[in-house]
DNA sequence: CAAGATTAAAGTGTCGACAATCGACGATTA
DNA sequence: TAATCGTCGATTGTCGACACTTTAATCTTG
């Protein structure tokens, strides 16, 4: 048995695949804002907190780096990716691109069962809207869109969506509530599903464009509002965020 | 004032990045066929061969896994991804999706300079066609398409293309010569560029569809032909690495 | 002689250690 | 006082070691 110390406030890591678990834990910490953008991820700190050595932590950090959540600075360590508008735009641009595609694909491969699954998820969206739980709302929203990718049935496309979604969740988590009326969110999914059921590529892409484009503009606006305290998007010399030592 | 600051905006780093170097070396070994699909990547072997320890090798392998070149089997190690038609189709499907998008974007952002760069690359394609060097031809072909992504100016899109291209290079490297007439390759790029210059989204996507779709069908056909005989070629951990120790 | 059991070899997962490097702080100097 | 330089702690990059698993090779045994 391995001498595993007691993780204080962190979920215990029992199963194998330590690296994957650490990556997930780090990801959660990031998207939940416990590791704010710009903050440093100290390997030893994470390792100690989780009761493991630095090696698997490093590997997890590398994965998150390739995924885009972290950036590595050569002899200085890993940092949570900053909130640059450029990056937001690139993510949404790519998401729009693949979600149009996935939606059209999903329409082609839509079965009665998968149609029902989407329907039910819209119901969930409506129910969640009553809860006044923005985080949950965002989560169920993503679940709907993820379902579309699952139906599209391209594993690589799905993985890509998950990667983008993780980063978007971080952004959305930071700016808090995204829409004023949660029911509005739920409703806007209905015409999209209708278009998918109808199977008209043009109508589908139009609705996706509207739907994602709306979120894009909204997030962009809020991020722009949130960014000024940092001045312009000075990319180099990453220390414009002081060692805001909230590292885990 | 801060003590640092090299030239702003330069990626610079590169060199002392052992993990990145190992990842590149492994990638080359894979796309050049020295590590055939299905073969095992033994950490200790690679480490010894490169004169480093296993730690950075593992990190590099993890990156290549996330990129799709390797697959990890929990207590058994990393393996070069096998050549499944399903995977090929997924890659090309995604590539088609993003290349349409990138091409339309590139048209929007096309400057006289970037137009000339594309033109010149087509010239290179023609020149390369005379050399009877299939690998080189494929390389210059990718360079053209990569230029489109550069012009599209979305870093994430570009990274994604690079990831896909690496895997496609592996596939194409394995099936050897892709087209019968290299000049044909070069020529087919011209109407695509013309469409981009004209800036008609429909014409652009049509040409991209034709261009990429052609490669897709061709590769798919060849892979289908090639799959029964190959299957898996489990390699004994032996010397198949760089003829020199360019590392450390 | 084949199928299963046994043992040995190879390889992975993880750890702790150590030198090299970076950044902060304070002493030194103009 | 402000700027420069050197020192020191903190942290990274890399290594070698070790326990446990898987794979192979060998030995039983029906």
């Amino acid at each position: 048995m391995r001498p595993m110390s007691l993780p204080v406030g962190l979920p215990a890591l029992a199963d194998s695949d330590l690296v994957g678990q650490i990556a997930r834990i780090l990801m959660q910490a990031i998207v939940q804002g416990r590791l704010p953008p710009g903050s440093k991820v100290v390997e030893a700190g994470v390792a100690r907190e989780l009761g493991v050595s630095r090696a698997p932590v490093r590997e997890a950090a590398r994965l998150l780096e390739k995924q885009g959540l972290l950036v590595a600075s050569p002899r200085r360590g890993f940092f949570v990716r900053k909130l640059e508008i450029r990056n937001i735009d690139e993510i949404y641009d790519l998401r729009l691109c693949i979600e149009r595609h996935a939606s059209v694909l999903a329409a082609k491969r839509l079965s009665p069962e998968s149609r029902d699954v989407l329907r039910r998820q819209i119901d969930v969206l409506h129910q969640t809207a009553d809860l006044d739980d923005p985080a949950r709302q965002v989560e169920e929203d993503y679940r709907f869109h993820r379902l579309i990718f699952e139906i599209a049935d391209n594993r690589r496309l799905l993985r890509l969506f998950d990667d983008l979604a993780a980063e978007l969740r971080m952004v959305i988590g930071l700016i808090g509530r995204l829409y004023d009326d949660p029911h509005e969110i739920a409703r806007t999914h209905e015409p999209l599903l209708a278009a998918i059921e109808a199977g008209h590529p043009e109508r589908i892409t139009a609705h996706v464009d509207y739907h994602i484009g709306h979120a894009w503009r909204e997030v962009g606006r809020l991020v722009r509002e949130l960014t000024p305290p940092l001045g312009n998007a000075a990319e180099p010399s990453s220390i414009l965020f002081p060692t805001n030592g909230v590292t885990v």
Side-chain angles (χ1 to χ4, degrees), chain A residues 118-130 137 140-141 144-145 179-197 203 207-208 210-212 214:
Chain A
L118 287 176
R119 271 268 161 82
R120 252 175 280 137
Q121 185 58 24
I122 291 185
D123 291 342
V124 171
L125 281 175
H126 275 115
Q127 293 162 18
T128 311
D130 295 325
Q137 185 76 22
E140 296 297 346
D141 191 347
F144 176 85
H145 292 280
Y179 300 101
D180 299 321
D181 181 7
H183 282 287
E184 172 68 16
I185 305 184
R187 260 194 303 279
T188 59
H189 287 77
E190 282 162 2
L192 174 57
L193 175 53
I196 290 177
E197 289 183 39
R203 277 183 57 200
H207 276 288
V208 172
Y210 171 76
H211 194 78
I212 308 297
H214 180 51

Side-chain angles (χ1 to χ4, degrees), chain A residues 45-177:
Chain A
V46 177
R48 185 163 13 85
E49 187 109 8
L50 297 178
V52 299
S53 77
R54 280 174 50 214
V57 174
R58 272 182 71 89
E59 294 183 26
R62 285 243 181 266
L63 289 183
L64 265 45
E65 185 205 355
K66 187 148 186 84
Q67 180 166 339
L69 279 177
L70 298 180
V71 290
S73 181
R75 299 248 171 207
R76 301 166 14 82
F78 294 94
F79 298 81
V80 179
R81 182 156 204 162
K82 282 178 297 184
L83 216 56
E84 301 161 21
I85 193 64
R86 163 96 192 260
N87 196 31
I88 306 288
D89 285 342
E90 290 182 343
I91 294 174
Y92 266 109
D93 179 60
L94 177 53
R95 173 165 176 201
L96 193 50
C97 165
I98 65 171
E99 186 137 355
R100 275 195 280 234
H101 188 63
S103 300
V104 173
L105 269 182
K108 281 205 188 84
R109 299 182 180 158
L110 195 70
S111 67
E113 292 76 25
S114 51
R115 197 267 319 269
D116 288 346
V117 172
L118 287 176
R119 271 268 161 82
R120 252 175 280 137
Q121 185 58 24
I122 291 185
D123 291 342
V124 171
L125 281 175
H126 275 115
Q127 293 162 18
T128 311
D130 295 325
L131 269 56
D132 189 43
D133 182 347
R136 177 75 186 283
Q137 185 76 22
V138 168
E139 213 43 51
E140 296 297 346
D141 191 347
Y142 272 111
R143 209 182 301 276
F144 176 85
H145 292 280
R146 191 175 196 279
L147 283 173
I148 290 179
F149 279 84
E150 285 180 13
I151 296 169
D153 196 36
N154 178 327
R155 295 164 301 178
R156 195 169 291 253
L157 215 50
L158 179 60
R159 266 196 313 163
L160 182 54
F161 171 79
D162 281 336
D163 285 357
L164 295 182
E167 212 162 344
L168 289 177
R169 265 195 285 261
M170 173 183 88
V171 175
I172 292 174
L174 283 170
I175 62 184
R177 175 182 301 266

